[in-house]
Amino acid sequence: MTTSRLSLYWAPASPFVRKVMVCAHELGIADRIEILDSAANPIDRDARIQAFNPLAKVPAARTDDGLTLYDSRVICEYLDSMSADEARRPPWLFPPAGPERWIALRRQALADGLVDAALLVRYENLLRPQPLRWSVWTAKQGEKITDALDAMLADLPDLEKPDIGAITYACALGWLDFRFPDLDWRTGRKGLAEWYAGFDTRPSMSATRPKA
Ligand SMILES: N[C@@H](CCC(=O)N[C@@H](CS)C(=O)NCC(=O)O)C(=O)O
């Protein structure tokens, strides 16, 4: 693999974009990502993003040699593999096939799923016209968020190992604080709150705080 830089459709508040940037910081290659401005919106799709990703969602990326990459899961693994190839070492963030990998990927799926549900609630409240909003929909997405948080509490990653599972947990929790400050997810989940407080001190987290 010869690519040394990546152009990335980026958004300051997206937890999925943040996941990519946290990975880049952990790998020490954040300065090799060229940030492209974008305005992802499901009902006003951004044609610039769509040139990279038919779904017009961020993050979406393109390598120096013209390979387009999406979604966050693919871009994060690409960055890990690119950095490992160049440094001639094993990947750091995505463990090799085996129980450690499946657990890290499962944690990524869980925390991404939490954000998917929370994003649907946000879009429902922000984008859907008031008369069309459905409280049952919002409540049921809320159940998914609660159940995902409980599952995260029961399956805490090693604080010393910032793999893709841990990074995804942290970006999801940071985004809940940012977009749903009244959710109070810490109550009754002391272990998860403490884990997050510890992970959030990493320089990769400080460098990527979400902004409105
Ligand atoms: N599974 C995707 C989710 C990406 C996603 O939902 N991004 C949001 C911003 S946080 C977006 O682009 N929304 C616009 C849309 O839904 O059309 C990933 O992991 O990258």
Side-chain angles (χ1 to χ4, degrees):
M1 201 175 290
T2 55
T3 299
S4 59
R5 292 188 66 81
L6 205 69
S7 304
L8 178 77
Y9 276 115
W10 180 91
S14 165
F16 298 107
V17 170
R18 186 181 191 193
K19 184 157 60 113
V20 168
M21 294 309 298
V22 170
C23 288
H25 280 278
E26 290 290 343
L27 294 165
I29 56 174
D31 59 341
R32 287 160 56 184
I33 296 188
E34 183 201 0
I35 299 298
L36 304 176
D37 191 32
S38 68
N41 184 308
I43 55 163
D44 184 12
R45 303 173 77 212
D46 185 333
R48 294 169 299 178
I49 310 172
Q50 203 164 359
F52 283 19
N53 174 1
L55 303 171
K57 293 184 179 190
V58 287
R62 190 163 63 192
T63 66
D64 279 348
D65 38 16
L67 176 69
T68 51
L69 297 167
Y70 49 88
D71 56 8
S72 67
R73 290 166 277 212
V74 176
I75 302 170
C76 292
E77 188 156 4
Y78 179 88
L79 290 178
D80 196 20
S81 153
M82 174 181 109
S83 142
D85 278 1
E86 290 178 2
R88 297 178 192 279
R89 56 155 179 78
W92 277 338
L93 307 179
F94 288 77
E100 215 188 320
R101 177 178 177 84
W102 311 133
I103 290 170
L105 292 183
R106 186 188 66 202
R107 287 176 178 151
Q108 175 175 226
L110 177 64
D112 275 351
L114 183 160
V115 175
D116 284 337
L119 202 53
L120 286 176
V121 170
R122 181 167 162 77
Y123 287 152
E124 179 81 8
N125 294 332
L126 196 71
L127 300 179
R128 196 182 294 277
Q130 178 75 52
L132 300 179
R133 288 184 201 158
W134 188 21
S135 60
V136 177
W137 174 265
T138 302
K140 288 291 169 189
Q141 297 305 324
E143 280 179 23
K144 290 189 193 217
I145 296 168
T146 302
D147 291 346
L149 286 165
D150 289 342
M152 287 161 76
L153 171 65
D155 182 27
L156 294 175
D158 181 346
L159 252 191
E160 303 307 315
K161 269 199 196 158
D163 67 13
I164 190 62
I167 290 170
T168 313
Y169 270 30
C171 292
L173 295 172
W175 193 70
L176 285 185
D177 281 346
F178 177 65
R179 285 298 190 206
F180 298 87
D182 299 331
L183 186 68
D184 195 19
W185 61 265
R186 289 172 177 80
T187 298
R189 299 190 189 92
K190 189 163 174 277
L192 186 59
E194 286 174 358
W195 178 87
Y196 176 66
F199 197 92
D200 195 45
T201 61
R202 298 187 72 83
S204 61
M205 293 293 287
S206 316
T208 58
R209 302 248 176 260
K211 293 184 195 73

